[in-house]
Amino acid sequence: QVQLVESGGGLVQPGGSLRLSCAASGSIFSINAMGWYRQAPGKQRELVAAITSGGSTNYADSVKGRFTISRDNAKNTVYLQMNSLKPEDTAVYYCNADLVRRWTPGALDAWGQGTLVTVSS
């Protein structure tokens, strides 16, 4: 069994910062890409940022220059540093990992339970 557990969400004022963390645990053989998605009320889930095992990154245009994704492969953990937050960043943020489990063929697209980020004064 594999679990992705997010932390770091909360309420922040516009212009503020938050750092999200997501730790993957369980019977994991390897993790390929990891990423953060978000879903605002009434909207579809969208990709915020992604990072490969080699460190290549990809960002949504709306967060470029403000958010930074990073990962610690030894800890199976991905981070999202969010700066200059705006009210439109308010959403539930989900962690995602494309991974291979031990003793199980094929890849698994795993998701965390989500963490709420609210940007409001």
Side-chain angles (χ1 to χ4, degrees), residues 1-14:
Q1 187 174 357
V2 172
Q3 280 190 313
L4 271 61
V5 178
E6 300 117 331
S7 61
L11 173 65
V12 63
Q13 291 187 340

Side-chain angles (χ1 to χ4, degrees), residues 9 13 16-18 25 30-31 34 40 44 48 50-51 58 64 72-74 76 82 95-96 100-101 108 111-112 115:
Q13 291 187 340
S17 298
L18 280 177
S25 63
S30 65
I31 302 178
M34 300 186 81
Q44 289 188 329
V48 176
I51 184 167
N58 180 41
K64 282 181 181 177
D72 184 333
N73 291 330
N76 288 340
M82 305 185 292
C95 175
N96 173 262
V100 178
R101 290 164 289 181
L108 175 67
W111 291 88
T115 185

Side-chain angles (χ1 to χ4, degrees), residues 2-3 13-14 19 26 29 33 35 42 51 53-54 56 59 62 77 79 81 83 87 93 95 110 117-118:
V2 172
Q3 280 190 313
Q13 291 187 340
R19 189 190 193 212
F29 176 74
I51 184 167
S53 57
S56 297
Y59 295 93
S62 59
T77 299
Y79 306 96
Q81 178 66 43
N83 298 328
Y93 284 71
C95 175
V117 172
T118 303

Side-chain angles (χ1 to χ4, degrees), residues 43-114:
K43 295 189 177 181
Q44 289 188 329
R45 189 175 297 189
E46 64 175 357
L47 175 68
V48 176
I51 184 167
T52 67
S53 57
S56 297
T57 58
N58 180 41
Y59 295 93
D61 288 343
S62 59
V63 306
K64 282 181 181 177
R66 300 188 297 122
F67 291 10
T68 302
I69 189 170
S70 61
R71 65 189 280 177
D72 184 333
N73 291 330
K75 296 181 179 180
N76 288 340
T77 299
V78 63
Y79 306 96
L80 185 68
Q81 178 66 43
M82 305 185 292
N83 298 328
S84 302
L85 282 160
K86 305 175 181 180
E88 50 264 43
D89 294 318
T90 295
V92 177
Y93 284 71
Y94 296 92
C95 175
N96 173 262
D98 175 31
L99 56 86
V100 178
R101 290 164 289 181
R102 296 184 187 277
W103 311 296
T104 304
L108 175 67
D109 191 29
W111 291 88
Q113 80 285 355

